[in-house]
Amino acid sequence: MKYKFIYILSVTFFLCQFAKGKATDSLLDERKIPPEHSLDYIIDMIIETAPVYKNLIEEYTANLYTKGYINIKKSNILINYIPSMFKLKKGIKEYITESYSELHYTAPDIFDRKIIAYHSTIDKPKGFNNDVFDKFDINIYDNSVFNVKLVSPLSQNAKKYYEYKIDSTYYDENNRYLYHLSFTPKYNSYKFLEGYMIICDSTWKIDEFKFKGRSEYQNYTNKVQMGKSDAHPEDLLPVRFDSDMSFHLLGNVFEGHFTIDMNYKSVKLSEKDVNKENDKSKYDLTRSFTLRSDTSVYILADSCYFAKLRPFPLTEKEESIYEKYYVEKGNISIENNEKNKRSVFWDDVGDLLVGSYSINSPQIGKMRFSPLLNPFLLSYSGKDGLSYKQRIRYQRMFSKNKLLNITPMAGYNFNYNEFYWRMPAKFEYFPEKRATFTLNIGNGNRIYNSEIIDELKEIPDSIFDFNKIHLDYFRDFYVDFFHSIEVSNGLTVDAGFSMHRRSAIEKSDFDKPDDLPVEIRNGYEDKFRNKYVGFAPRIKVSWTPMQYYYRAENRKINLYSKWPTFSFDYERGIKGVSKNSSEFERLEIDMQHIVPFGYLQTLYYRAGAGAFTNKKDMFFVDFRNFEKNNLPSGWNDDIGGTFQILDRRWYNSSREYLRANLTYEAPFLLVPYIFKRVPYILNERLYLGILTMTRLNPYIETGYGIGTHIFDFGAFVSNKNGKFNDFGVKLTIELFNR
């Protein structure tokens, strides 16, 4: 209530100017001498007004002209190890790009862009020059900046992290009284910005916003210019962006300057009754993604084409870059062409080894390979050792938006000397109802026969030790086939079957001794085998209440929900399908949810239970929601929803389990308050996991983790049955994966 009256008057005044189309000059002229405001008052008014301006624009469409200049200061052979970097030309240090796009914005934070035309001296545009778009998807009145969630100096608790200073005050050409206000962070962290903003005294609207930011390998300075008058809705929106970027990694230094000019076609103010609670269609956000559904290919234009689109002419230096490019392109002889073909071949081989590689053809579809020699796909765990994985993505679109996705994945665990692979394939034949056939083939985790579980129960807890027990392990080859359909919004039903073929790693001789009693000999082969086959029909029902989604033509794409996702999974093994098949019954329930709250804080929780209810003819305990992932997983994969240092032998040691996991993430938990000069940490996490099963009553795992641009690190401590059990760490390389 401190400044509420003045705050309401200023915002009401600004909104009235939009409604009546009046300029503010007349009122400002009457106010010959502006009031003297303290720095705290000015900051409070800016922070209190920012949420109103943030939500004032409901939607807009605009044309964007983008121009980029890139200068290669230093480069070496290690540049090939930078994923998605565009291919440099021998002897060429300067490059230029231009594009013309349509932008559709929908509140609160949906930016949808479609490139109409593109022109560049880069033959295969990707990487560094494309990163610029991420620097402009911002609402300067928001609490955070960019998708990486940097702390804005206009956030609701910004005074906790920033210091402010009034550099100057002056009248502009429209007789508006302006403050030139600089801001600097109190902590040396990559989560904060440094710069200035120019504020209008009458409306607390931002005229100009300039800030500097950095990461481990990139520095940037952005300048956002807003509309200068206060008479139209688009004056709350940016009209021009300028960004200077520098990239430093592995001895390579690039610099770039990018400019975006925005021309607004339509601007719509928010309405109070846009989303009524009883309006079922409010979950359909299709209107926010109209451009994303347009899959037409952009035009590869020339300089003459762009001469009609440029809002300002090229500089002499930029024109000379184009001239050199066209001269070089026109002077390629047949002899040089043959050399180029050989060079391109070996360049492609190099891309395949050390860079991401893509194939896009209307005949065969889209295929993307991870680099074969990419060190950034490594993961280390104190419990499981070093792991490496490789992934290939294949996608092909058919008529009526039918979609085929195949994502083979392979990995190797050096600690266990085990190779893992899986090949999931999905064919969405009825995209409007998300109707999909799924086939998944692969090898699962090595597992021991559950017959030993009853024997383990007889061992007293005081002397029980997995390391003193010999377990006969089996390889697992599996085939899963399912049909999935979304019955109603958020309610999905999967039905199909699973097949497992488990074979002993070290085969045993199970000849029946003649001196065994008859009753034992008759069941000998059933109990002891070198091969087990399982066939099980399976049904899974998952429900996400109040599911938000959008439609791309006739395709329904789910986005998020404010409610958790509940699932019920039932599987029943059928005996007699094959010679070695067995009968069993598995039930699992699960609930998981990601809850954003507060300021840049996220709470992730998961709870579930499972049991094998038929225990007479069951040889392997293999749950679906409670299993060990032996391949690398990063910050946003399974690191928050699993038990990181639980010995993998426990996952198959009990026919029932009850688990709960909780992960809390925030940008500032401990480190910034203890060490003010630690710029590298982006996020911190707290972990808590509780597990109850046979011999673990309970097992508790707690942990702390940090996330940076380069790696994620977590340290974990476990407690078993009220006593300290183990300590371990996990490290995943995340460079270029953010």
Side-chain angles (χ1 to χ4, degrees):
M1 299 298 292
K2 186 177 179 181
Y3 306 110
K4 189 172 182 180
F5 179 72
I6 300 176
Y7 163 67
I8 293 175
L9 282 180
S10 62
V11 174
T12 303
F13 164 76
F14 191 53
L15 295 176
C16 289
Q17 295 297 86
F18 284 158
K20 298 179 181 180
K22 294 181 179 179
T24 60
D25 295 12
S26 59
L27 181 60
L28 288 170
D29 287 340
E30 295 176 2
R31 201 191 60 181
K32 299 298 183 183
I33 301 176
E36 292 295 332
H37 297 315
S38 67
L39 177 60
D40 284 339
Y41 174 86
I42 295 172
I43 301 304
D44 288 341
M45 291 305 300
I46 295 171
I47 292 176
E48 289 183 25
T49 309
V52 178
Y53 290 154
K54 173 182 178 292
N55 299 313
L56 190 59
I57 303 297
E58 178 187 330
E59 182 180 9
Y60 67 76
T61 57
N63 292 329
L64 274 66
Y65 167 77
T66 306
K67 181 179 68 174
Y69 164 77
I70 302 170
N71 185 11
I72 311 300
K73 292 288 188 180
K74 294 181 181 180
S75 63
N76 54 51
I77 193 172
L78 296 178
I79 193 173
N80 295 317
Y81 289 88
I82 302 176
S84 74
M85 182 61 193
F86 66 86
K87 182 64 62 178
L88 300 182
K89 297 178 182 179
K90 188 175 181 180
I92 303 299
K93 299 294 185 181
E94 296 177 303
Y95 300 84
I96 187 171
T97 66
E98 291 182 281
S99 67
Y100 191 75
S101 311
E102 290 182 359
L103 177 67
H104 181 206
Y105 166 83
T106 307
D109 297 307
I110 301 174
F111 293 87
D112 193 24
R113 181 184 299 105
K114 179 182 183 298
I115 299 179
I116 304 299
Y118 183 84
H119 183 217
S120 176
T121 60
I122 300 172
D123 292 334
K124 295 181 180 180
K126 58 180 179 179
F128 181 69
N129 60 309
N130 283 347
D131 290 343
V132 65
F133 287 115
D134 294 334
K135 297 292 184 289
F136 298 116
D137 285 350
I138 63 173
N139 183 335
I140 63 173
Y141 295 104
D142 204 348
N143 281 330
S144 60
V145 180
F146 308 148
N147 294 328
V148 292
K149 302 298 184 184
L150 305 183
V151 181
S152 169
L154 279 75
S155 62
Q156 297 305 296
N157 59 347
K159 294 172 71 174
K160 184 177 180 181
Y161 305 114
Y162 285 97
E163 293 179 347
Y164 301 86
K165 178 184 177 182
I166 299 177
D167 298 319
S168 62
T169 60
Y170 58 94
Y171 284 99
D172 68 356
E173 63 275 8
N174 295 321
N175 202 26
R176 299 181 308 156
Y177 192 62
L178 303 176
Y179 297 96
H180 189 287
L181 188 71
S182 61
F183 52 88
T184 55
K186 296 180 180 179
Y187 303 97
N188 185 19
S189 169
Y190 292 158
K191 298 291 290 186
F192 301 115
L193 305 169
E194 179 182 357
Y196 71 83
M197 47 189 166
I198 298 177
I199 308 293
C200 179
D201 175 74
S202 61
T203 59
W204 307 111
K205 184 179 77 72
I206 297 178
D207 269 20
E208 188 172 296
F209 186 58
K210 186 174 182 179
F211 57 91
K212 295 190 295 184
R214 55 186 175 142
S215 67
E216 287 87 345
Y217 54 87
Q218 189 180 95
N219 295 328
Y220 52 87
T221 300
N222 279 20
K223 182 179 179 181
V224 185
Q225 298 182 39
M226 312 292 285
K228 295 292 184 183
S229 70
D230 298 332
H232 306 287
E234 55 264 32
D235 293 324
L236 279 174
L237 299 171
V239 294
R240 176 167 170 150
F241 294 89
D242 287 279
S243 179
D244 291 298
M245 304 167 62
S246 63
F247 183 96
H248 303 258
L249 185 67
L250 303 175
N252 297 279
V253 180
F254 318 146
E255 291 181 354
H257 177 77
F258 296 86
T259 299
I260 290 184
D261 183 86
M262 304 184 69
N263 181 22
Y264 294 94
K265 298 189 294 184
S266 65
V267 179
K268 182 180 179 182
L269 296 176
S270 62
E271 301 175 5
K272 294 182 179 180
D273 60 347
V274 170
N275 288 329
K276 295 182 179 179
E277 289 298 324
N278 59 356
D279 184 4
K280 294 183 179 180
S281 65
K282 70 177 181 177
Y283 304 116
D284 187 351
L285 303 180
T286 302
R287 183 173 52 84
S288 303
F289 293 85
T290 53
L291 295 180
R292 186 168 298 178
S293 63
D294 189 344
T295 57
S296 59
V297 180
Y298 59 81
I299 301 172
L300 287 174
D302 56 19
S303 186
C304 294
Y305 181 89
F306 265 89
K308 305 174 185 178
L309 302 176
R310 296 184 187 112
F312 39 83
L314 297 175
T315 64
E316 292 184 4
K317 186 174 186 179
E318 292 165 345
E319 288 180 347
S320 67
I321 295 174
Y322 271 131
E323 289 175 2
K324 292 178 183 178
Y325 171 74
Y326 285 115
V327 168
E328 180 191 7
K329 199 171 183 180
N331 288 338
I332 297 177
S333 63
I334 297 177
E335 181 181 353
N336 288 335
N337 221 2
E338 291 299 320
K339 292 181 179 179
N340 277 347
K341 288 181 180 179
R342 291 192 295 270
S343 176
V344 168
F345 170 77
W346 289 111
D347 283 345
D348 289 343
V349 172
D351 284 343
L352 184 62
L353 292 175
V354 300
S356 297
Y357 191 79
S358 299
I359 299 175
N360 189 356
S361 169
Q363 288 75 31
I364 65 173
K366 299 179 181 179
M367 185 174 293
R368 181 175 178 84
F369 300 85
S370 298
L372 294 178
L373 302 180
N374 187 358
F376 308 127
L377 295 175
L378 291 172
S379 173
Y380 175 78
S381 168
K383 178 64 66 175
D384 300 319
L386 191 66
S387 299
Y388 176 82
K389 72 176 178 182
Q390 176 64 221
R391 177 182 294 158
I392 301 174
R393 297 179 177 89
Y394 172 78
Q395 182 182 93
R396 184 173 182 182
M397 187 77 71
F398 297 90
S399 61
K400 298 182 180 179
N401 269 342
K402 297 176 182 177
L403 182 64
L404 174 65
N405 271 306
I406 303 176
T407 313
M409 179 185 295
Y412 187 79
N413 185 287
F414 294 88
N415 187 38
Y416 303 124
N417 295 321
E418 294 176 2
F419 175 77
Y420 302 94
W421 67 275
R422 56 178 177 263
M423 184 179 292
K426 294 184 178 182
F427 178 61
E428 192 175 27
Y429 70 93
F430 187 19
E432 188 173 357
K433 296 294 292 182
R434 298 171 57 85
T436 306
F437 287 108
T438 300
L439 176 65
N440 192 4
I441 304 173
N443 68 334
N445 299 332
R446 296 185 179 183
I447 190 173
Y448 55 84
N449 195 319
S450 67
E451 286 290 330
I452 200 174
I453 292 179
D454 293 326
E455 300 175 20
L456 298 180
K457 291 180 179 179
E458 303 300 323
I459 303 176
D461 289 341
S462 58
I463 63 173
F464 178 84
D465 187 352
F466 262 126
N467 295 320
K468 297 179 181 179
I469 302 171
H470 173 71
L471 300 175
D472 293 324
Y473 278 94
F474 289 75
R475 298 183 182 91
D476 179 25
F477 172 78
Y478 66 87
V479 177
D480 291 338
F481 181 79
F482 296 99
H483 176 266
S484 175
I485 189 168
E486 191 174 47
V487 180
S488 62
N489 183 38
L491 179 62
T492 302
V493 178
D494 297 355
F497 64 85
S498 297
M499 295 183 64
H500 289 263
R501 183 184 184 276
R502 297 181 172 97
S503 55
I505 295 175
E506 297 182 8
K507 293 186 177 181
S508 302
D509 185 4
F510 290 142
D511 291 336
K512 292 180 290 184
D514 294 333
D515 56 349
L516 285 178
V518 176
E519 60 273 12
I520 296 179
R521 292 181 61 195
N522 290 339
Y524 196 85
E525 287 184 343
D526 291 335
K527 187 170 184 178
F528 301 102
R529 308 174 191 169
N530 283 319
K531 182 176 69 175
Y532 295 84
V533 177
F535 175 84
R538 180 184 170 197
I539 184 169
K540 180 180 179 180
V541 179
S542 60
W543 178 46
T544 306
M546 301 182 184
Q547 175 73 64
Y548 287 89
Y549 63 93
Y550 75 93
R551 296 188 184 277
E553 295 182 6
N554 65 332
R555 179 181 303 281
K556 182 175 184 288
I557 302 173
N558 288 342
L559 296 172
Y560 61 90
S561 174
K562 298 178 181 179
W563 287 78
T565 296
F566 305 90
S567 67
F568 171 80
D569 197 336
Y570 174 76
E571 185 179 26
R572 183 177 180 85
I574 301 177
K575 190 174 183 178
V577 175
S578 66
K579 179 181 178 181
N580 296 311
S581 62
S582 58
E583 181 180 355
F584 63 89
E585 192 174 56
R586 177 183 61 85
L587 287 168
E588 284 186 88
I589 57 174
D590 191 72
M591 176 185 69
Q592 51 185 307
H593 193 204
I594 299 177
V595 186
F597 69 96
Y599 179 64
L600 301 181
Q601 302 171 64
T602 303
L603 180 69
Y604 168 75
Y605 63 89
R606 182 176 185 180
F612 280 87
T613 58
N614 187 342
K615 305 177 182 179
K616 295 181 180 179
D617 187 27
M618 183 192 66
F619 298 101
F620 296 93
V621 173
D622 192 6
F623 290 105
R624 295 303 182 102
N625 295 331
F626 179 65
E627 61 180 355
K628 179 66 175 178
N629 183 6
N630 289 295
L631 295 179
S633 56
W635 184 274
N636 290 319
D637 294 327
D638 294 332
I639 192 171
T642 60
F643 298 90
Q644 296 299 320
I645 58 176
L646 178 65
D647 192 303
R648 65 177 187 166
R649 291 172 290 191
W650 284 104
Y651 288 86
N652 312 117
S653 67
S654 175
R655 295 188 177 98
E656 55 276 324
Y657 75 87
L658 179 65
R659 57 88 63 89
N661 294 85
L662 190 70
T663 303
Y664 172 68
E665 176 181 326
F668 313 107
L669 287 176
L670 301 174
V671 174
Y673 301 107
I674 301 175
F675 308 102
K676 289 193 174 184
R677 301 191 61 82
V678 182
Y680 306 103
I681 295 177
L682 297 177
N683 290 291
E684 298 175 78
R685 279 187 173 182
L686 299 176
Y687 303 95
L688 173 64
I690 303 175
L691 172 67
T692 298
M693 58 191 301
T694 304
R695 293 191 178 277
L696 295 180
N697 296 299
Y699 172 85
I700 300 175
E701 189 173 286
T702 58
Y704 168 79
I706 59 174
T708 73
H709 284 286
I710 298 178
F711 65 88
D712 293 334
F713 173 81
F716 302 89
V717 176
S718 65
N719 181 290
K720 185 176 72 172
N721 301 330
K723 297 180 180 180
F724 170 79
N725 179 59
D726 203 357
F727 171 81
V729 298
K730 181 167 184 178
L731 175 71
T732 59
I733 305 299
E734 295 293 328
L735 186 62
F736 305 113
N737 291 329
R738 291 293 182 196

